[in-house]
Amino acid sequence: MAESLRRMVNNGNFTSLQDKLEKWLDDYHINTNDQNVARACELVELNARVQGQLFTLLNLVASEGGLYGGVNTLKNRLLPWLSSGFAASAASVSADTSLAVLAEAADKDRQITEIQSHYEQQLDNMEKDLNDTKEDAAALKAELDETRDELDDTRRKSTGTMMATEDEIIRLKEDQVRSLENRIRDRRRQLRLTRDEASSLRTRVDLVGDYERQVRVLRDEIAILRGERAALENGFPEPLPPLPPPRPGSPTHAKLTDSVRRSRLIGRYNDLFSIDRVEALTTLRRYIPDDEEMVQRIIFVGVQEAFHAAKMAFRAMRLRVRKNLAITHVGPETLEEAVLDYIVRNTDLFDVNGAVQDTIRAMNVNPKISFPAEIDFNLLHPFIREVCRCGWGMCALEPPLDISPATDAELYNELKYRRSYDSEFTAPLVAYHVWPAMMEYDRVVVKGEAVTKRGASLFSPRRSRSRSPSPRLRSPSPLRSNTNILKIEQSPRRATSPRPMSPSRSRSPSPTRSGSAMSVSSRPSSRSSPRPYSAASSYVSY
């Protein structure tokens, strides 16, 4: 009982009821009629709740007194109040009868109001936080867009920089390759110059040795002549001193250097095939990109004509030197040895430019090759120059070296040639040649290269270099060509020329090279004929 009473006191229901009454009084004139009625009903309900709690306490108190405890009090006070009703008993009820109920209701209202205000405050705070968050999100989104734009700009710039860097790297690599090639060419040129200087120095040293030998011979002859003069001056005959025994002939410079020159020329011939020929092919492919066979034929014909021009120049120089040395030649060596030694010592007398021009002229009238009309074979001048030098040196050997004669559609010879990579290895005939073989009489020194294909024709199609018609570049008529050839046969001077020249500089094939019997028979048949039918003649004719 005491505990229940304590809880009721602690709840403060009557205080809450009093607060509500005061609040209703303050808002009475503001509220509407319905709101005032609702406040009155609320107070009645609170009062009823308080009365219910008080009746509960009354029951507990009465039960503590036993069966008849508090009967008198109930009879005197409660029963009259109950009989007269709640409205009439208002005078008999104390003022603090429903104070706990009112206090509880007021407390609950206060709590509700506080909770509502707290909720509204939290809601305002949350809205404020939400707005702040939205603003932060918008700012972050703007910053993200700016960062993305900067990243795209940086990526574009880096891509452009990367492309520029790659182009610079490629350009630098090309420049380095060009510089290396130029250095290699300079080194080769310097090496050749050094070799030429060394050979000239060797020649001078050998000349000094020959001069010393001739001085010794002259001193012996002078001593003999002085003895004869003294004997004639004394007036009595005396036996002449015996002549000194002839000195055994020492080997000439040509014989001493023959093996060295031979090995050097063989190595140079291989370099011409592996290095200079590849550079010439690369140059020709720029102007003839779609005809690899024609490019190979041009190189091969150029080598043949260059060797032929070098042999003709060597033969002419040999005849000229023999004619000059035959008048004053004395010595242990033969005239032929002296001639060859003089030629070997004076290799600078070889007119290499003239041989190159003869080669180019021969290539211009060759019916098997063609070239674009806007350029000429002077494009191959460096390559032809080196081939002419090599051919000249091979002519000065003993025995001389030569290139093998070659014709289209000949039977393939494994001893002389090797097949190219694009050949048909079962074909028995040679379609065209790539590089001639080096021969020493009938012995193969260095193999050549050929292309074998099935169906190789004995007569290759004739090709011409067509140009636009002009007064200076018209092809000669057959009548004029035959007339000129007959004049060459009848004239003794022109019979010694290296080859009959075409009357015009047209790139079209000459009618005399058409393969008829007239063109073959119209060549000079004298002993000084410039060249046989094949472009690569043998040294046996020497």
Side-chain angles (χ1 to χ4, degrees), residues 101-161:
V101 177
L102 296 176
E104 183 179 357
D107 190 16
K108 288 183 178 181
D109 291 338
R110 190 185 305 109
Q111 292 179 359
I112 291 171
T113 304
E114 292 177 357
I115 291 172
Q116 185 177 0
S117 61
H118 182 67
Y119 173 75
E120 292 177 355
Q121 186 177 1
Q122 288 183 350
L123 187 62
D124 294 337
N125 294 333
M126 291 178 65
E127 289 180 355
K128 188 182 294 184
D129 294 339
L130 180 61
N131 293 330
D132 295 339
T133 305
K134 287 181 179 180
E135 293 176 357
D136 295 340
L140 289 174
K141 186 176 180 180
E143 187 177 357
L144 179 61
D145 293 337
E146 293 178 358
T147 306
R148 187 176 299 169
D149 295 337
E150 292 178 357
L151 180 61
D152 293 338
D153 294 338
T154 305
R155 185 181 300 171
R156 285 194 295 270
K157 292 180 181 178
S158 61
T159 304
T161 305

Side-chain angles (χ1 to χ4, degrees), residues 477-491:
S477 63
L479 181 59
R480 292 180 61 186
S481 300
N482 295 335
T483 304
N484 291 330
I485 293 173
L486 292 176
K487 288 181 180 179
I488 292 172
E489 290 181 352
Q490 294 173 2
S491 177

Side-chain angles (χ1 to χ4, degrees), residues 235-291:
F236 57 90
E238 288 185 0
L240 296 175
L243 294 174
R247 300 173 61 88
S250 59
T252 61
H253 174 75
K255 290 184 178 180
L256 289 174
T257 61
D258 186 77
S259 60
V260 177
R261 289 185 290 114
R262 179 181 297 271
S263 61
R264 182 174 61 84
L265 287 171
I266 293 174
R268 180 56 185 154
Y269 189 76
N270 292 327
D271 291 340
L272 286 174
F273 173 74
S274 60
I275 299 175
D276 298 71
R277 184 186 70 92
V278 175
E279 294 178 356
L281 287 175
T282 304
T283 304
L284 288 177
R285 288 192 186 105
R286 299 175 185 172
Y287 304 96
I288 312 177
D290 301 329
D291 196 350

Side-chain angles (χ1 to χ4, degrees), residues 285-340:
R285 288 192 186 105
R286 299 175 185 172
Y287 304 96
I288 312 177
D290 301 329
D291 196 350
E292 184 66 21
E293 178 181 350
M294 182 55 60
V295 172
Q296 301 282 359
R297 284 181 180 273
I298 290 173
I299 296 297
F300 184 75
V301 171
V303 173
Q304 282 187 323
E305 298 295 345
F307 268 88
H308 175 74
K311 287 188 294 183
M312 291 298 103
F314 183 82
R315 178 182 294 181
M317 185 175 181
R318 189 170 186 173
L319 293 174
R320 187 168 61 254
V321 172
R322 185 188 291 115
K323 182 179 179 181
N324 293 330
L325 290 182
I327 302 173
T328 60
H329 174 69
V330 290
E333 70 274 0
T334 63
L335 178 60
E336 293 297 329
E337 291 178 350
V339 170
L340 185 61

